[in-house]
Amino acid sequence: GAGVSQSPSNKVTEKGKDVELRCDPISGHTALYWYRQSLGQGLEFLIYFQGNSAPDKSGLPSDRFSAERTGGSVSTLTIQRTQQEDSAVYLCASSPQPPPDTQYFGPGTRLTVL
Amino acid sequence: QKEVEQDPGPLSVPEGAIVSLNCTYSNSAFQYFMWYRQYSRKGPELLMYTYSSGNKEDGRFTAQVDKSSKYISLFIRDSQPSDSATYLCAMSGGSQGNLIFGKGTKLSVKP
């Protein structure tokens, strides 16, 4: 079946602009996760959704970052007033069940802030 | 001390070699251990998933967990050029939602 999809695959923006990144999880998966992967830094957890609620937002680096999930499916990660240090690959993963179930990753969105 | 340590490599081996990839960790609450493979410009792909200590084998891949030493390993037998990728270890404590990842080891298998 279809895997996790993310859009856009690449996004180039100017410093100070807002961006929205989209994640479509595997159909029926109740848990959804956002991670950020920076060069040389590994994967960094951002936020976890169970259904439409986010029990763990501990990884969001600042209040410029927010995320929502609607209908227990699609999720959007929004970064306001982007900074150059926000440049990274943003990865979404989903799981059939709550943690510690297996997480399946999408291809990521490569964000470049000029 | 970082929660998960992984040698970033790069590691270069000839085709057919046995590859050993390792991670150490500091949090004794971790119970679930995973290895992901990530090709360039792709998302991580789950290779192995183990719970607690012990070994798990799947084809050419074997995952080992030693909780007493806080050390996990991934062995690749008869390595192939298609195994060339970055290998990420990941772990979690169960109800904690997020995975804690190592930084990844870049592996190159030369024909």
Side-chain angles (χ1 to χ4, degrees):
Chain A
V4 177
S5 61
Q6 293 185 246
S7 60
S9 55
N10 284 284
K11 177 72 177 179
V12 180
T13 191
E14 293 180 346
K15 178 182 172 181
K17 301 277 190 181
D18 297 352
V19 295
E20 283 191 354
L21 311 179
R22 177 186 167 107
C23 172
D24 279 276
I26 294 172
S27 178
H29 281 198
T30 62
L32 186 146
Y33 310 81
W34 284 98
Y35 293 84
R36 178 168 71 174
Q37 187 172 33
S38 305
L39 196 61
Q41 296 300 313
L43 271 83
E44 173 192 11
F45 167 77
L46 299 178
I47 188 169
Y48 153 59
F49 286 93
Q50 183 59 40
N52 291 335
S53 62
D56 189 351
K57 305 179 183 179
S58 62
L60 294 177
S62 76
D63 58 8
R64 296 186 295 104
F65 288 73
S66 63
E68 65 174 12
R69 189 179 185 196
T70 55
S73 181
V74 172
S75 176
T76 303
L77 177 69
T78 301
I79 309 173
Q80 296 179 309
R81 305 181 302 281
T82 51
Q83 304 294 312
Q84 288 184 331
E85 61 263 29
D86 299 334
S87 296
V89 176
Y90 289 82
L91 290 158
C92 175
S94 69
S95 294
Q97 302 291 337
D101 204 4
T102 303
Q103 297 183 24
Y104 298 89
F105 282 81
T109 293
R110 183 173 297 272
L111 175 66
T112 303
V113 181
L114 301 176
Chain B
Q1 180 188 13
K2 294 189 182 300
E3 277 197 290
V4 180
E5 300 273 6
Q6 183 176 9
D7 187 339
L11 180 62
S12 183
V13 302
E15 183 175 355
I18 296 174
V19 176
S20 173
L21 303 166
N22 311 292
C23 288
T24 59
Y25 63 95
S26 58
N27 189 342
S28 57
F30 289 149
Q31 299 181 70
Y32 300 88
F33 304 91
M34 284 136 271
W35 286 95
Y36 283 84
R37 177 175 61 195
Q38 187 174 25
Y39 292 113
S40 181
R41 295 186 171 262
K42 301 288 186 184
E45 168 196 10
L46 181 70
L47 275 180
M48 301 288 281
Y49 182 107
T50 53
Y51 170 71
S52 194
S53 285
N55 293 0
K56 184 174 183 178
E57 187 173 322
D58 183 2
R60 295 185 296 110
F61 298 91
T62 300
Q64 287 186 351
V65 175
D66 182 348
K67 289 192 70 180
S68 63
S69 301
K70 297 191 180 69
Y71 188 88
I72 69 171
S73 300
L74 177 71
F75 297 95
I76 307 174
R77 289 183 299 280
D78 187 26
S79 56
Q80 303 295 309
S82 58
D83 295 328
S84 298
T86 296
Y87 290 79
L88 301 155
C89 64
M91 46 201 79
S92 76
S95 59
Q96 172 189 1
N98 57 300
L99 295 174
I100 308 298
F101 281 85
K103 289 191 177 182
T105 300
K106 188 170 184 177
L107 171 67
S108 177
V109 181
K110 303 295 186 184

